[in-house]
Amino acid sequence: MELAISIAVIVAIVGGALAYIIYAKKSGKKCIGCPDSKSCSGKCGSCGCGCGAKDNEQDK
């Protein structure tokens, strides 16, 4: 019984995280968790979250 409850809790946590990620991506966020993610272009890295840092390194 405890195993079933543990599995249900883990499934609920993973499901909630997945739902949050899907919702955030559909709402236009580039960097999930970054407060400036809607205004971040994802290329310049100017929002401070570093989402564009990898793109900038490849451009050099």
Side-chain angles (χ1 to χ4, degrees):
M1 185 67 176
E2 292 122 8
L3 180 63
I5 293 171
S6 302
I7 291 172
V9 168
I10 292 171
V11 167
I13 291 170
V14 171
L18 185 60
Y20 174 76
I21 291 170
I22 291 170
Y23 176 75
K25 285 294 185 179
K26 283 186 176 182
S27 67
K29 292 185 178 183
K30 303 270 186 211
C31 308
I32 298 172
C34 176
D36 298 325
S37 62
K38 275 193 166 181
S39 62
C40 181
S41 67
K43 292 183 180 177
C44 64
S46 63
C47 69
C49 67
C51 67
K54 290 181 184 175
D55 294 334
N56 287 340
E57 288 175 5
Q58 291 174 356
D59 291 340
K60 290 182 180 178

mmCIF file of all heavy atoms in Angstrom:
data_model
loop_
_atom_site.group_PDB
_atom_site.id
_atom_site.type_symbol
_atom_site.label_atom_id
_atom_site.label_comp_id
_atom_site.label_asym_id
_atom_site.label_seq_id
_atom_site.Cartn_x
_atom_site.Cartn_y
_atom_site.Cartn_z
ATOM 1 N N MET A 1 0.820 -1.200 0.000
ATOM 2 C CA MET A 1 0.000 0.000 0.000
ATOM 3 C C MET A 1 0.866 1.267 0.000
ATOM 4 O O MET A 1 0.546 2.217 -0.695
ATOM 5 C CB MET A 1 -0.919 -0.033 1.224
ATOM 6 C CG MET A 1 -1.885 1.102 1.263
ATOM 7 S SD MET A 1 -3.050 0.946 -0.093
ATOM 8 C CE MET A 1 -4.104 2.282 0.231
ATOM 9 N N GLU A 2 1.928 1.230 0.791
ATOM 10 C CA GLU A 2 2.813 2.393 0.822
ATOM 11 C C GLU A 2 3.496 2.611 -0.525
ATOM 12 O O GLU A 2 3.736 3.742 -0.928
ATOM 13 C CB GLU A 2 3.880 2.241 1.914
ATOM 14 C CG GLU A 2 3.336 2.293 3.321
ATOM 15 C CD GLU A 2 3.664 1.039 4.098
ATOM 16 O OE1 GLU A 2 4.443 0.216 3.589
ATOM 17 O OE2 GLU A 2 3.134 0.882 5.198
ATOM 18 N N LEU A 3 3.800 1.523 -1.208
ATOM 19 C CA LEU A 3 4.435 1.625 -2.524
ATOM 20 C C LEU A 3 3.499 2.308 -3.520
ATOM 21 O O LEU A 3 3.927 3.163 -4.298
ATOM 22 C CB LEU A 3 4.840 0.240 -3.027
ATOM 23 C CG LEU A 3 5.521 0.197 -4.388
ATOM 24 C CD1 LEU A 3 6.837 0.965 -4.339
ATOM 25 C CD2 LEU A 3 5.760 -1.233 -4.811
ATOM 26 N N ALA A 4 2.230 1.944 -3.474
ATOM 27 C CA ALA A 4 1.255 2.544 -4.383
ATOM 28 C C ALA A 4 1.108 4.044 -4.117
ATOM 29 O O ALA A 4 1.018 4.846 -5.054
ATOM 30 C CB ALA A 4 -0.094 1.848 -4.251
ATOM 31 N N ILE A 5 1.103 4.425 -2.853
ATOM 32 C CA ILE A 5 0.997 5.841 -2.499
ATOM 33 C C ILE A 5 2.251 6.588 -2.952
ATOM 34 O O ILE A 5 2.165 7.692 -3.494
ATOM 35 C CB ILE A 5 0.758 6.003 -0.985
ATOM 36 C CG1 ILE A 5 -0.621 5.454 -0.613
ATOM 37 C CG2 ILE A 5 0.883 7.465 -0.569
ATOM 38 C CD1 ILE A 5 -0.875 5.374 0.874
ATOM 39 N N SER A 6 3.413 5.981 -2.758
ATOM 40 C CA SER A 6 4.671 6.610 -3.184
ATOM 41 C C SER A 6 4.703 6.811 -4.688
ATOM 42 O O SER A 6 5.098 7.877 -5.174
ATOM 43 C CB SER A 6 5.864 5.747 -2.767
ATOM 44 O OG SER A 6 5.884 5.549 -1.390
ATOM 45 N N ILE A 7 4.282 5.801 -5.418
ATOM 46 C CA ILE A 7 4.263 5.895 -6.874
ATOM 47 C C ILE A 7 3.276 6.970 -7.321
ATOM 48 O O ILE A 7 3.571 7.762 -8.227
ATOM 49 C CB ILE A 7 3.948 4.528 -7.509
ATOM 50 C CG1 ILE A 7 5.125 3.572 -7.284
ATOM 51 C CG2 ILE A 7 3.619 4.663 -8.984
ATOM 52 C CD1 ILE A 7 4.862 2.146 -7.698
ATOM 53 N N ALA A 8 2.116 7.046 -6.675
ATOM 54 C CA ALA A 8 1.120 8.058 -7.028
ATOM 55 C C ALA A 8 1.651 9.469 -6.781
ATOM 56 O O ALA A 8 1.418 10.378 -7.587
ATOM 57 C CB ALA A 8 -0.163 7.826 -6.236
ATOM 58 N N VAL A 9 2.367 9.658 -5.688
ATOM 59 C CA VAL A 9 2.939 10.970 -5.380
ATOM 60 C C VAL A 9 3.992 11.348 -6.412
ATOM 61 O O VAL A 9 4.019 12.477 -6.914
ATOM 62 C CB VAL A 9 3.525 10.989 -3.949
ATOM 63 C CG1 VAL A 9 4.371 12.225 -3.722
ATOM 64 C CG2 VAL A 9 2.417 10.894 -2.920
ATOM 65 N N ILE A 10 4.857 10.419 -6.769
ATOM 66 C CA ILE A 10 5.895 10.687 -7.767
ATOM 67 C C ILE A 10 5.276 11.002 -9.122
ATOM 68 O O ILE A 10 5.689 11.935 -9.811
ATOM 69 C CB ILE A 10 6.891 9.505 -7.845
ATOM 70 C CG1 ILE A 10 7.699 9.433 -6.550
ATOM 71 C CG2 ILE A 10 7.794 9.625 -9.057
ATOM 72 C CD1 ILE A 10 8.553 8.197 -6.420
ATOM 73 N N VAL A 11 4.256 10.239 -9.511
ATOM 74 C CA VAL A 11 3.572 10.484 -10.786
ATOM 75 C C VAL A 11 2.911 11.862 -10.781
ATOM 76 O O VAL A 11 2.959 12.589 -11.780
ATOM 77 C CB VAL A 11 2.548 9.361 -11.083
ATOM 78 C CG1 VAL A 11 1.611 9.740 -12.210
ATOM 79 C CG2 VAL A 11 3.268 8.066 -11.401
ATOM 80 N N ALA A 12 2.327 12.248 -9.650
ATOM 81 C CA ALA A 12 1.688 13.562 -9.556
ATOM 82 C C ALA A 12 2.716 14.684 -9.676
ATOM 83 O O ALA A 12 2.473 15.695 -10.349
ATOM 84 C CB ALA A 12 0.933 13.676 -8.236
ATOM 85 N N ILE A 13 3.870 14.525 -9.054
ATOM 86 C CA ILE A 13 4.919 15.545 -9.118
ATOM 87 C C ILE A 13 5.452 15.674 -10.544
ATOM 88 O O ILE A 13 5.577 16.782 -11.081
ATOM 89 C CB ILE A 13 6.053 15.230 -8.127
ATOM 90 C CG1 ILE A 13 5.547 15.408 -6.689
ATOM 91 C CG2 ILE A 13 7.271 16.104 -8.386
ATOM 92 C CD1 ILE A 13 6.512 14.900 -5.628
ATOM 93 N N VAL A 14 5.766 14.557 -11.169
ATOM 94 C CA VAL A 14 6.285 14.578 -12.539
ATOM 95 C C VAL A 14 5.228 15.119 -13.502
ATOM 96 O O VAL A 14 5.539 15.914 -14.389
ATOM 97 C CB VAL A 14 6.775 13.172 -12.956
ATOM 98 C CG1 VAL A 14 7.102 13.117 -14.436
ATOM 99 C CG2 VAL A 14 7.977 12.763 -12.131
ATOM 100 N N GLY A 15 3.982 14.725 -13.313
ATOM 101 C CA GLY A 15 2.896 15.218 -14.162
ATOM 102 C C GLY A 15 2.699 16.718 -14.025
ATOM 103 O O GLY A 15 2.473 17.411 -15.009
ATOM 104 N N GLY A 16 2.791 17.216 -12.799
ATOM 105 C CA GLY A 16 2.664 18.646 -12.569
ATOM 106 C C GLY A 16 3.789 19.433 -13.216
ATOM 107 O O GLY A 16 3.570 20.497 -13.807
ATOM 108 N N ALA A 17 5.006 18.915 -13.107
ATOM 109 C CA ALA A 17 6.159 19.579 -13.722
ATOM 110 C C ALA A 17 6.020 19.593 -15.246
ATOM 111 O O ALA A 17 6.296 20.605 -15.896
ATOM 112 C CB ALA A 17 7.451 18.887 -13.306
ATOM 113 N N LEU A 18 5.595 18.482 -15.801
ATOM 114 C CA LEU A 18 5.408 18.384 -17.252
ATOM 115 C C LEU A 18 4.311 19.341 -17.721
ATOM 116 O O LEU A 18 4.467 20.019 -18.740
ATOM 117 C CB LEU A 18 5.071 16.949 -17.645
ATOM 118 C CG LEU A 18 4.965 16.654 -19.128
ATOM 119 C CD1 LEU A 18 6.293 16.951 -19.819
ATOM 120 C CD2 LEU A 18 4.576 15.214 -19.350
ATOM 121 N N ALA A 19 3.217 19.421 -16.968
ATOM 122 C CA ALA A 19 2.135 20.339 -17.322
ATOM 123 C C ALA A 19 2.609 21.782 -17.275
ATOM 124 O O ALA A 19 2.253 22.595 -18.138
ATOM 125 C CB ALA A 19 0.952 20.135 -16.380
ATOM 126 N N TYR A 20 3.429 22.133 -16.283
ATOM 127 C CA TYR A 20 3.964 23.494 -16.179
ATOM 128 C C TYR A 20 4.849 23.830 -17.374
ATOM 129 O O TYR A 20 4.766 24.911 -17.946
ATOM 130 C CB TYR A 20 4.752 23.652 -14.881
ATOM 131 C CG TYR A 20 5.454 24.986 -14.788
ATOM 132 C CD1 TYR A 20 4.739 26.137 -14.494
ATOM 133 C CD2 TYR A 20 6.819 25.098 -15.021
ATOM 134 C CE1 TYR A 20 5.367 27.371 -14.430
ATOM 135 C CE2 TYR A 20 7.457 26.323 -14.954
ATOM 136 C CZ TYR A 20 6.725 27.452 -14.656
ATOM 137 O OH TYR A 20 7.360 28.663 -14.602
ATOM 138 N N ILE A 21 5.700 22.891 -17.769
ATOM 139 C CA ILE A 21 6.601 23.117 -18.903
ATOM 140 C C ILE A 21 5.804 23.301 -20.191
ATOM 141 O O ILE A 21 6.076 24.217 -20.978
ATOM 142 C CB ILE A 21 7.607 21.958 -19.032
ATOM 143 C CG1 ILE A 21 8.590 21.989 -17.863
ATOM 144 C CG2 ILE A 21 8.344 22.009 -20.363
ATOM 145 C CD1 ILE A 21 9.469 20.755 -17.761
ATOM 146 N N ILE A 22 4.802 22.460 -20.404
ATOM 147 C CA ILE A 22 3.980 22.567 -21.610
ATOM 148 C C ILE A 22 3.239 23.899 -21.635
ATOM 149 O O ILE A 22 3.201 24.592 -22.656
ATOM 150 C CB ILE A 22 3.006 21.376 -21.709
ATOM 151 C CG1 ILE A 22 3.789 20.091 -21.985
ATOM 152 C CG2 ILE A 22 1.952 21.615 -22.784
ATOM 153 C CD1 ILE A 22 2.972 18.833 -21.865
ATOM 154 N N TYR A 23 2.653 24.292 -20.501
ATOM 155 C CA TYR A 23 1.931 25.560 -20.423
ATOM 156 C C TYR A 23 2.873 26.746 -20.669
ATOM 157 O O TYR A 23 2.529 27.677 -21.384
ATOM 158 C CB TYR A 23 1.260 25.694 -19.060
ATOM 159 C CG TYR A 23 0.575 27.024 -18.865
ATOM 160 C CD1 TYR A 23 -0.633 27.294 -19.485
ATOM 161 C CD2 TYR A 23 1.147 28.013 -18.080
ATOM 162 C CE1 TYR A 23 -1.268 28.519 -19.323
ATOM 163 C CE2 TYR A 23 0.533 29.236 -17.914
ATOM 164 C CZ TYR A 23 -0.676 29.489 -18.532
ATOM 165 O OH TYR A 23 -1.279 30.699 -18.374
ATOM 166 N N ALA A 24 4.061 26.695 -20.083
ATOM 167 C CA ALA A 24 5.013 27.797 -20.251
ATOM 168 C C ALA A 24 5.463 27.919 -21.700
ATOM 169 O O ALA A 24 5.576 29.031 -22.230
ATOM 170 C CB ALA A 24 6.217 27.594 -19.333
ATOM 171 N N LYS A 25 5.732 26.821 -22.355
ATOM 172 C CA LYS A 25 6.163 26.858 -23.752
ATOM 173 C C LYS A 25 5.042 27.362 -24.663
ATOM 174 O O LYS A 25 5.288 28.113 -25.600
ATOM 175 C CB LYS A 25 6.631 25.474 -24.220
ATOM 176 C CG LYS A 25 7.990 25.091 -23.684
ATOM 177 C CD LYS A 25 9.045 26.004 -24.258
ATOM 178 C CE LYS A 25 10.424 25.582 -23.842
ATOM 179 N NZ LYS A 25 11.458 26.427 -24.389
ATOM 180 N N LYS A 26 3.798 26.952 -24.388
ATOM 181 C CA LYS A 26 2.675 27.409 -25.204
ATOM 182 C C LYS A 26 2.405 28.894 -25.020
ATOM 183 O O LYS A 26 1.877 29.540 -25.914
ATOM 184 C CB LYS A 26 1.419 26.610 -24.880
ATOM 185 C CG LYS A 26 1.423 25.237 -25.495
ATOM 186 C CD LYS A 26 0.110 24.538 -25.284
ATOM 187 C CE LYS A 26 0.119 23.202 -25.996
ATOM 188 N NZ LYS A 26 -1.168 22.505 -25.855
ATOM 189 N N SER A 27 2.774 29.433 -23.848
ATOM 190 C CA SER A 27 2.533 30.855 -23.610
ATOM 191 C C SER A 27 3.664 31.721 -24.154
ATOM 192 O O SER A 27 3.645 32.934 -23.996
ATOM 193 C CB SER A 27 2.331 31.128 -22.119
ATOM 194 O OG SER A 27 3.518 30.904 -21.398
ATOM 195 N N GLY A 28 4.664 31.117 -24.779
ATOM 196 C CA GLY A 28 5.695 31.873 -25.472
ATOM 197 C C GLY A 28 6.981 32.095 -24.710
ATOM 198 O O GLY A 28 7.818 32.873 -25.138
ATOM 199 N N LYS A 29 7.167 31.429 -23.595
ATOM 200 C CA LYS A 29 8.400 31.606 -22.829
ATOM 201 C C LYS A 29 9.548 30.850 -23.496
ATOM 202 O O LYS A 29 9.392 29.721 -23.926
ATOM 203 C CB LYS A 29 8.222 31.104 -21.402
ATOM 204 C CG LYS A 29 7.273 31.955 -20.610
ATOM 205 C CD LYS A 29 7.217 31.509 -19.176
ATOM 206 C CE LYS A 29 6.303 32.409 -18.383
ATOM 207 N NZ LYS A 29 6.278 32.048 -16.977
ATOM 208 N N LYS A 30 10.689 31.516 -23.604
ATOM 209 C CA LYS A 30 11.874 30.894 -24.199
ATOM 210 C C LYS A 30 12.687 30.162 -23.131
ATOM 211 O O LYS A 30 13.152 29.068 -23.345
ATOM 212 C CB LYS A 30 12.758 31.936 -24.871
ATOM 213 C CG LYS A 30 12.065 32.743 -25.929
ATOM 214 C CD LYS A 30 12.198 32.096 -27.251
ATOM 215 C CE LYS A 30 11.612 33.031 -28.291
ATOM 216 N NZ LYS A 30 11.048 32.361 -29.387
ATOM 217 N N CYS A 31 12.863 30.813 -21.992
ATOM 218 C CA CYS A 31 13.640 30.249 -20.890
ATOM 219 C C CYS A 31 12.710 30.044 -19.702
ATOM 220 O O CYS A 31 12.374 31.008 -19.018
ATOM 221 C CB CYS A 31 14.768 31.188 -20.474
ATOM 222 S SG CYS A 31 15.796 31.727 -21.824
ATOM 223 N N ILE A 32 12.288 28.836 -19.478
ATOM 224 C CA ILE A 32 11.350 28.561 -18.393
ATOM 225 C C ILE A 32 12.057 28.791 -17.065
ATOM 226 O O ILE A 32 13.147 28.299 -16.829
ATOM 227 C CB ILE A 32 10.822 27.123 -18.496
ATOM 228 C CG1 ILE A 32 10.078 26.950 -19.805
ATOM 229 C CG2 ILE A 32 9.924 26.798 -17.318
ATOM 230 C CD1 ILE A 32 9.676 25.536 -20.092
ATOM 231 N N GLY A 33 11.427 29.568 -16.204
ATOM 232 C CA GLY A 33 11.996 29.874 -14.908
ATOM 233 C C GLY A 33 12.658 31.229 -14.847
ATOM 234 O O GLY A 33 12.922 31.755 -13.775
ATOM 235 N N CYS A 34 12.928 31.826 -15.981
ATOM 236 C CA CYS A 34 13.533 33.156 -16.036
ATOM 237 C C CYS A 34 12.417 34.197 -15.972
ATOM 238 O O CYS A 34 11.455 34.103 -16.730
ATOM 239 C CB CYS A 34 14.318 33.314 -17.345
ATOM 240 S SG CYS A 34 15.007 34.960 -17.578
ATOM 241 N N PRO A 35 12.525 35.182 -15.082
ATOM 242 C CA PRO A 35 11.456 36.176 -14.981
ATOM 243 C C PRO A 35 11.305 37.040 -16.236
ATOM 244 O O PRO A 35 10.242 37.583 -16.480
ATOM 245 C CB PRO A 35 11.864 37.029 -13.782
ATOM 246 C CG PRO A 35 13.300 36.756 -13.560
ATOM 247 C CD PRO A 35 13.580 35.398 -14.114
ATOM 248 N N ASP A 36 12.338 37.162 -17.043
ATOM 249 C CA ASP A 36 12.279 37.955 -18.268
ATOM 250 C C ASP A 36 12.106 37.092 -19.514
ATOM 251 O O ASP A 36 12.402 37.521 -20.617
ATOM 252 C CB ASP A 36 13.567 38.773 -18.426
ATOM 253 C CG ASP A 36 13.773 39.748 -17.304
ATOM 254 O OD1 ASP A 36 12.758 40.293 -16.819
ATOM 255 O OD2 ASP A 36 14.924 39.974 -16.911
ATOM 256 N N SER A 37 11.621 35.870 -19.334
ATOM 257 C CA SER A 37 11.634 34.925 -20.446
ATOM 258 C C SER A 37 10.729 35.319 -21.606
ATOM 259 O O SER A 37 11.001 34.952 -22.737
ATOM 260 C CB SER A 37 11.256 33.534 -19.961
ATOM 261 O OG SER A 37 9.951 33.531 -19.445
ATOM 262 N N LYS A 38 9.649 36.054 -21.344
ATOM 263 C CA LYS A 38 8.786 36.453 -22.462
ATOM 264 C C LYS A 38 9.439 37.515 -23.322
ATOM 265 O O LYS A 38 9.204 37.601 -24.511
ATOM 266 C CB LYS A 38 7.445 36.962 -21.949
ATOM 267 C CG LYS A 38 6.463 35.859 -21.695
ATOM 268 C CD LYS A 38 5.081 36.420 -21.512
ATOM 269 C CE LYS A 38 4.072 35.312 -21.601
ATOM 270 N NZ LYS A 38 2.720 35.804 -21.465
ATOM 271 N N SER A 39 10.295 38.338 -22.720
ATOM 272 C CA SER A 39 10.926 39.407 -23.487
ATOM 273 C C SER A 39 12.290 38.992 -24.035
ATOM 274 O O SER A 39 12.885 39.730 -24.793
ATOM 275 C CB SER A 39 11.088 40.657 -22.620
ATOM 276 O OG SER A 39 11.931 40.379 -21.522
ATOM 277 N N CYS A 40 12.761 37.837 -23.668
ATOM 278 C CA CYS A 40 14.063 37.356 -24.128
ATOM 279 C C CYS A 40 13.923 36.797 -25.533
ATOM 280 O O CYS A 40 13.056 35.978 -25.794
ATOM 281 C CB CYS A 40 14.591 36.282 -23.194
ATOM 282 S SG CYS A 40 16.207 35.658 -23.661
ATOM 283 N N SER A 41 14.780 37.224 -26.427
ATOM 284 C CA SER A 41 14.711 36.742 -27.802
ATOM 285 C C SER A 41 15.330 35.360 -27.949
ATOM 286 O O SER A 41 15.113 34.684 -28.925
ATOM 287 C CB SER A 41 15.429 37.717 -28.731
ATOM 288 O OG SER A 41 16.820 37.709 -28.457
ATOM 289 N N GLY A 42 16.120 34.942 -26.974
ATOM 290 C CA GLY A 42 16.762 33.645 -27.050
ATOM 291 C C GLY A 42 18.025 33.657 -27.885
ATOM 292 O O GLY A 42 18.697 32.658 -28.006
ATOM 293 N N LYS A 43 18.364 34.790 -28.498
ATOM 294 C CA LYS A 43 19.559 34.867 -29.329
ATOM 295 C C LYS A 43 20.607 35.810 -28.764
ATOM 296 O O LYS A 43 21.773 35.572 -28.891
ATOM 297 C CB LYS A 43 19.182 35.311 -30.745
ATOM 298 C CG LYS A 43 18.372 34.291 -31.489
ATOM 299 C CD LYS A 43 18.085 34.727 -32.902
ATOM 300 C CE LYS A 43 17.254 33.673 -33.615
ATOM 301 N NZ LYS A 43 16.897 34.065 -34.954
ATOM 302 N N CYS A 44 20.148 36.873 -28.122
ATOM 303 C CA CYS A 44 21.110 37.880 -27.679
ATOM 304 C C CYS A 44 21.653 37.585 -26.283
ATOM 305 O O CYS A 44 22.734 38.026 -25.956
ATOM 306 C CB CYS A 44 20.469 39.262 -27.698
ATOM 307 S SG CYS A 44 19.096 39.430 -26.540
ATOM 308 N N GLY A 45 20.888 36.887 -25.452
ATOM 309 C CA GLY A 45 21.337 36.614 -24.096
ATOM 310 C C GLY A 45 21.282 37.828 -23.195
ATOM 311 O O GLY A 45 21.881 37.846 -22.140
ATOM 312 N N SER A 46 20.533 38.863 -23.600
ATOM 313 C CA SER A 46 20.501 40.098 -22.833
ATOM 314 C C SER A 46 19.548 40.064 -21.655
ATOM 315 O O SER A 46 19.542 40.972 -20.850
ATOM 316 C CB SER A 46 20.118 41.265 -23.747
ATOM 317 O OG SER A 46 18.816 41.069 -24.254
ATOM 318 N N CYS A 47 18.748 39.032 -21.537
ATOM 319 C CA CYS A 47 17.780 39.008 -20.447
ATOM 320 C C CYS A 47 18.429 38.587 -19.133
ATOM 321 O O CYS A 47 17.832 38.723 -18.089
ATOM 322 C CB CYS A 47 16.616 38.086 -20.765
ATOM 323 S SG CYS A 47 17.037 36.338 -20.808
ATOM 324 N N GLY A 48 19.635 38.079 -19.169
ATOM 325 C CA GLY A 48 20.340 37.710 -17.947
ATOM 326 C C GLY A 48 20.156 36.262 -17.537
ATOM 327 O O GLY A 48 20.801 35.800 -16.619
ATOM 328 N N CYS A 49 19.278 35.549 -18.218
ATOM 329 C CA CYS A 49 19.064 34.154 -17.827
ATOM 330 C C CYS A 49 20.061 33.227 -18.515
ATOM 331 O O CYS A 49 20.174 32.068 -18.144
ATOM 332 C CB CYS A 49 17.643 33.722 -18.142
ATOM 333 S SG CYS A 49 17.257 33.631 -19.891
ATOM 334 N N GLY A 50 20.755 33.721 -19.510
ATOM 335 C CA GLY A 50 21.765 32.921 -20.189
ATOM 336 C C GLY A 50 21.211 32.009 -21.251
ATOM 337 O O GLY A 50 21.907 31.143 -21.753
ATOM 338 N N CYS A 51 19.939 32.180 -21.603
ATOM 339 C CA CYS A 51 19.346 31.284 -22.599
ATOM 340 C C CYS A 51 19.976 31.453 -23.966
ATOM 341 O O CYS A 51 19.988 30.533 -24.761
ATOM 342 C CB CYS A 51 17.841 31.492 -22.679
ATOM 343 S SG CYS A 51 17.357 33.095 -23.328
ATOM 344 N N GLY A 52 20.497 32.624 -24.250
ATOM 345 C CA GLY A 52 21.110 32.860 -25.543
ATOM 346 C C GLY A 52 22.615 32.712 -25.524
ATOM 347 O O GLY A 52 23.277 32.917 -26.528
ATOM 348 N N ALA A 53 23.178 32.344 -24.394
ATOM 349 C CA ALA A 53 24.633 32.252 -24.266
ATOM 350 C C ALA A 53 25.207 31.194 -25.205
ATOM 351 O O ALA A 53 26.236 31.405 -25.824
ATOM 352 C CB ALA A 53 25.016 31.939 -22.830
ATOM 353 N N LYS A 54 24.528 30.063 -25.346
ATOM 354 C CA LYS A 54 25.016 29.017 -26.231
ATOM 355 C C LYS A 54 24.954 29.473 -27.682
ATOM 356 O O LYS A 54 25.842 29.180 -28.477
ATOM 357 C CB LYS A 54 24.211 27.734 -26.041
ATOM 358 C CG LYS A 54 24.469 27.081 -24.722
ATOM 359 C CD LYS A 54 23.681 25.814 -24.576
ATOM 360 C CE LYS A 54 23.885 25.215 -23.197
ATOM 361 N NZ LYS A 54 23.060 24.053 -22.989
ATOM 362 N N ASP A 55 23.888 30.210 -28.040
ATOM 363 C CA ASP A 55 23.771 30.728 -29.402
ATOM 364 C C ASP A 55 24.881 31.722 -29.707
ATOM 365 O O ASP A 55 25.426 31.732 -30.792
ATOM 366 C CB ASP A 55 22.401 31.395 -29.615
ATOM 367 C CG ASP A 55 21.252 30.409 -29.549
ATOM 368 O OD1 ASP A 55 21.508 29.205 -29.837
ATOM 369 O OD2 ASP A 55 20.122 30.814 -29.240
ATOM 370 N N ASN A 56 25.192 32.568 -28.736
ATOM 371 C CA ASN A 56 26.252 33.564 -28.931
ATOM 372 C C ASN A 56 27.607 32.910 -29.101
ATOM 373 O O ASN A 56 28.440 33.367 -29.871
ATOM 374 C CB ASN A 56 26.291 34.564 -27.763
ATOM 375 C CG ASN A 56 25.125 35.527 -27.805
ATOM 376 O OD1 ASN A 56 24.509 35.714 -28.839
ATOM 377 N ND2 ASN A 56 24.829 36.133 -26.673
ATOM 378 N N GLU A 57 27.867 31.835 -28.362
ATOM 379 C CA GLU A 57 29.153 31.140 -28.487
ATOM 380 C C GLU A 57 29.292 30.489 -29.847
ATOM 381 O O GLU A 57 30.372 30.446 -30.415
ATOM 382 C CB GLU A 57 29.265 30.080 -27.379
ATOM 383 C CG GLU A 57 29.472 30.686 -25.993
ATOM 384 C CD GLU A 57 29.452 29.626 -24.905
ATOM 385 O OE1 GLU A 57 29.371 28.431 -25.227
ATOM 386 O OE2 GLU A 57 29.538 29.998 -23.720
ATOM 387 N N GLN A 58 28.188 29.993 -30.412
ATOM 388 C CA GLN A 58 28.254 29.340 -31.707
ATOM 389 C C GLN A 58 28.452 30.361 -32.818
ATOM 390 O O GLN A 58 29.028 30.044 -33.857
ATOM 391 C CB GLN A 58 26.985 28.545 -31.956
ATOM 392 C CG GLN A 58 26.877 27.345 -31.048
ATOM 393 C CD GLN A 58 25.535 26.623 -31.206
ATOM 394 O OE1 GLN A 58 24.670 27.081 -31.943
ATOM 395 N NE2 GLN A 58 25.388 25.510 -30.515
ATOM 396 N N ASP A 59 27.958 31.589 -32.628
ATOM 397 C CA ASP A 59 28.082 32.625 -33.651
ATOM 398 C C ASP A 59 29.514 33.131 -33.783
ATOM 399 O O ASP A 59 29.888 33.671 -34.797
ATOM 400 C CB ASP A 59 27.146 33.797 -33.346
ATOM 401 C CG ASP A 59 25.676 33.428 -33.521
ATOM 402 O OD1 ASP A 59 25.416 32.424 -34.225
ATOM 403 O OD2 ASP A 59 24.812 34.128 -32.973
ATOM 404 N N LYS A 60 30.311 32.976 -32.723
ATOM 405 C CA LYS A 60 31.673 33.515 -32.730
ATOM 406 C C LYS A 60 32.604 32.684 -33.573
ATOM 407 O O LYS A 60 32.453 31.585 -33.887
ATOM 408 C CB LYS A 60 32.221 33.591 -31.306
ATOM 409 C CG LYS A 60 31.516 34.656 -30.523
ATOM 410 C CD LYS A 60 32.093 34.751 -29.124
ATOM 411 C CE LYS A 60 31.380 35.826 -28.330
ATOM 412 N NZ LYS A 60 31.864 35.907 -26.985
#
